[in-house]
Amino acid sequence: WGVLEQILPLVDLVMMDLKHMDREQHRLATGAGNELLLDNARRLAATPTPLLFRVPVVPGVNDSPQAIGAIAEFVRGLARARGEDARGEDATIDLELLPFHPLGGDKYASLGLDCRAAGMSAVRPERLAELRRAADTGVT
């Protein structure tokens, strides 16, 4: 937090990925827990800096209405604590769903690294629309 706090006066927007609210599911997907990330998100929300939370929607990891709904509820809670409606026109805390796509696989191969997402399919637009509705309606 100390590093983030020091650079906040220099930025106009913080973009932060959220992948899963469940600590163990987050650890399985990323290799690390989400405690520090969520703590930093809460601290950032207590500042006036605009925040954009981005959710890479990954098949089999967080592509359920429950997983997306839990993330959306967390973001809505941060917005309420800041005194705003996260879906309002001038909201300074917002949420964006990003569909997984397999385009990064070649980058891993060129670096001689294993791509854990090799063989996964891109998220279909209809599925992303369903998940957006889950985020908007608060399904958890």
Side-chain angles (χ1 to χ4, degrees), residues 1 11 14 16 35 39 45 49 56 58 63 71 75 81 95 102 111 121-122 125 135:
W1 171 249
V11 300
V14 172
M16 182 177 210
E35 300 87 356
D39 183 54
T49 305
V58 181
D63 64 334
I71 293 169
V75 172
L95 176 69
L111 294 169
S121 299

Side-chain angles (χ1 to χ4, degrees), residues 5-93:
E5 188 176 35
Q6 288 178 7
I7 65 168
L8 282 178
L10 306 173
V11 300
D12 296 323
L13 170 70
V14 172
M15 298 171 73
M16 182 177 210
D17 278 9
L18 292 176
K19 295 179 180 71
H20 214 292
M21 293 305 297
D22 181 89
R23 177 181 41 203
E24 288 310 311
Q25 291 299 319
H26 191 277
R27 186 179 311 283
L28 287 171
T30 68
N34 61 1
E35 300 87 356
L36 180 60
L37 183 133
L38 296 178
D39 183 54
N40 284 337
R42 289 181 191 99
R43 288 175 184 235
L44 286 165
T47 75
T49 305
L51 301 172
L52 175 59
F53 291 99
R54 299 159 34 109
V55 181
V57 179
V58 181
V61 174
N62 64 357
D63 64 334
S64 71
Q66 294 77 18
I68 297 300
I71 293 169
E73 184 54 39
F74 175 75
V75 172
R76 274 194 295 279
L78 296 177
R80 282 191 300 271
R82 196 182 261 194
E84 64 185 47
D85 173 9
R87 299 299 297 163
E89 286 298 313
D90 36 337
T92 59
I93 296 180

Side-chain angles (χ1 to χ4, degrees), residues 121-136:
S121 299
V123 175
R124 296 182 335 275
E126 325 65 75
R127 181 62 176 164
L128 198 63
E130 291 170 19
L131 295 172
R132 178 77 256 174
R133 286 191 294 279
D136 290 344

